[in-house]
Amino acid sequence: MMDFHRVRRLPPYVFEQVNRLKAQARANGADIIDLGMGNPDLAVARHITDKMIETVGKPRTDRYSASKGIAGLRRAQAAYYHRRFGVKLNPDTQVVATLGSKEGFANMAQAITAPGDVVLVPNPSYPIHAFGFLMAGGVIRSVPAEPTPDYFVALERAVMHSIPKPIAVVVCYPSNPTAMVAELDFYKDLVAFAKKHEIFILSDLAYSEVYFDGEPPPSVLQVPGAFDVTAEFTSMSKTFSMAGWRMGFAVGNERLIAALARVKSYLDYGAYTPIQVAAAAAINGPEECIEEMRATYKKRRDVMVESFAQAGWEIPAPRASMFAWVPVPEKFKPLGSLEFSKLLIEKADVAVAPGVGFGEHGDDYVRLALVENEQRIRQAARGIRRFFDSADQILHNVVQLKQPA
C-alpha cells in the first residue's frame, strides 16, 4: 500500500496510536474517560429527529438526492447567514451542502489545487486543512495559528519565499485545536492581504455557535469585499450535535462554490434526503437546543478548569469551541505530547489528543474535548492527580526503559 502515491504523502496517523492503546486498556477492563475525540455526546433535539422520521421511507425521499443540497436546505443556510451575520447569500450560486465540513474542505482542495500549488495552513491545525491539499498534490507552507499582528508578518514572509505563489490561505476560528477566536478587524486585514496578493481565503467556521464569553464569533464574509476571495465552511455536527449525520456547508465566492459543486457532482449524490430535510428543520427551528448546548459545554469547561487546577494542571479556559488547548506539564515536556498522552491512558485512565497530531508546533500541548459529563470530568481530574503524585517514579522508569541496554 505504501507504494501508492497519495498514501505515501500521508504520515502515520498519530491519533491511531492513542486509539489503539485506549482500546487495549478498555479490553483489559479499564474505565477510560475519553477526552480525545471531539465527538458530541449530547442528544439531537426532538424536533429534528421527528422531521427525519417523518420523511424516511417514502419513494420520493428514498431516491438519489441533490449533490449540491436540496433547495430548501440551501435556502435555510442562506437565511441563517443573513440572520446571524447580516450576510446575504444567493442559495443557488453561493451555497453548497456538503457531507460535513471535512468533506467540503477535502473536495474544495481537489477542485482548486494543481500539482505543486502552495497553500498557507496554520500549524497547529485540524489535519484535513493540510492533508486535503497534500492528497490533491499541493504543497503546504506552515503559518502561525494565532490571530495576532505577527500573523501577517509571517504571511508576507511566506508569500515572499513561496515558489510558485500560494493559491490560498486557510483559517479556522474558533480554532480546532487551539480554541482561539478571531475578531472582525483580523478578518478585515486578512481580506486586504488576500486581495493584495490575489489568493483565496478558505475559512473553517465549524464552531461558530460554540462560544461562551463575550460576542459571538464573526464570519470573514462580514467584511466588505470578502466574497471576491472567500469560501467559508460550516458544520451542523457541533451546533446541533449531529456529527454522525454528516451535514455541513460551503458558502461564499461563486467561482469557488461552482468548482466545489462540480467536483461533488462527480463524486456523490448528496446526503440522504431525509437528513437534508431534517437539517433544514434544525436551521429554521427554535434555538433553545443551541443555547442548551452552549450552557452544557460552558459548565463542563468551568468544571474542567476548576478540578484540573486542583489536581495540579492549569487549564487555560477556552472562549469558544468544545476544546481546551493545554500545555503539557513542564516535567513531562521532554517526552513530547504523544508519549505524555500514552502515559495518561496507562496511569490516569484518561485519553486526550496529542498536540503533535495537529502539526509539529503543537507538540508542547494536548487537546481536551468537553465530551464527558461533569462527574466524569471530576473523575478524570482525580485520576490525573494520582498520576501526578507518582510522576517522579513513573518518569524515572520511562527514562530507564528508553536507555540502551
Side-chain angles (χ1 to χ4, degrees), residues 107-114 117 133 167-168 200 202 256 259-260 263:
N107 280 331
M108 181 65 82
Q110 294 290 333
I112 70 174
T113 310
D117 276 349
F133 290 98
I167 63 165
F200 289 117
L202 303 178
L256 290 171
L260 173 60
V263 165

Side-chain angles (χ1 to χ4, degrees), residues 187-208:
Y187 286 136
K188 289 177 182 176
D189 291 341
L190 184 64
V191 170
F193 170 87
K195 289 192 164 192
K196 172 186 172 184
H197 293 287
E198 298 182 321
I199 66 176
F200 289 117
I201 299 168
L202 303 178
S203 169
D204 187 343
L205 194 61
Y207 295 88
S208 60

Side-chain angles (χ1 to χ4, degrees), residues 61-312:
T61 57
D62 281 345
R63 303 171 73 185
Y64 291 129
S65 192
S67 176
K68 66 183 291 187
I70 61 175
L73 178 57
R74 287 183 279 112
R75 286 196 297 269
Q77 179 68 354
Y80 161 73
Y81 258 78
H82 190 251
R83 187 169 66 242
R84 171 72 160 78
F85 302 111
V87 169
K88 291 185 179 181
L89 295 167
N90 182 329
D92 294 323
T93 61
Q94 295 178 317
V95 180
V96 168
T98 62
L99 306 179
S101 59
K102 186 174 183 179
E103 175 268 321
F105 232 99
N107 280 331
M108 181 65 82
Q110 294 290 333
I112 70 174
T113 310
D117 276 349
V118 177
V119 179
L120 308 178
V121 178
N123 187 342
S125 187
Y126 187 55
I128 197 63
H129 295 157
F131 295 118
F133 290 98
L134 286 174
M135 286 188 282
V139 177
I140 299 306
R141 181 176 283 277
S142 293
V143 295
E146 300 85 359
T148 66
D150 289 343
Y151 173 84
F152 292 99
V153 175
L155 280 193
E156 291 286 358
R157 189 183 307 119
V159 169
M160 185 185 308
H161 295 290
S162 292
I163 300 175
K165 185 188 77 174
I167 63 165
V169 56
V170 176
V171 289
C172 175
Y173 302 108
S175 172
N176 179 7
T178 69
M180 294 175 183
V181 179
E183 308 300 335
L184 195 56
D185 283 345
F186 170 84
Y187 286 136
K188 289 177 182 176
D189 291 341
L190 184 64
V191 170
F193 170 87
K195 289 192 164 192
K196 172 186 172 184
H197 293 287
E198 298 182 321
I199 66 176
F200 289 117
I201 299 168
L202 303 178
S203 169
D204 187 343
L205 194 61
Y207 295 88
S208 60
E209 299 306 322
V210 190
Y211 59 89
F212 313 122
D213 307 312
E215 291 295 312
S219 161
V220 63
L221 291 174
Q222 292 174 246
V223 177
F227 276 93
D228 297 337
V229 292
T230 304
E232 190 160 71
F233 299 82
T234 57
S235 170
M236 303 192 69
S237 295
K238 308 309 189 295
T239 302
F240 296 99
S241 302
M242 294 168 62
W245 298 49
R246 306 314 303 135
M247 180 54 61
F249 301 91
V251 306
N253 177 270
E254 291 188 4
R255 182 182 170 204
L256 290 171
I257 297 305
L260 173 60
R262 183 159 187 187
V263 165
K264 281 179 59 62
S265 72
Y266 281 90
L267 296 176
D268 69 67
Y269 288 104
Y272 183 39
T273 297
I275 289 178
Q276 296 195 47
V277 172
I283 296 170
N284 292 331
E287 296 192 0
E288 285 85 353
C289 59
I290 302 175
E291 293 164 2
E292 290 172 7
M293 172 273 296
R294 279 193 210 109
T296 298
Y297 287 139
K298 187 175 189 296
K299 285 181 183 176
R300 292 178 179 183
R301 178 200 69 170
D302 294 345
V303 167
M304 179 179 284
V305 169
E306 175 204 353
S307 61
F308 278 47
Q310 291 173 353

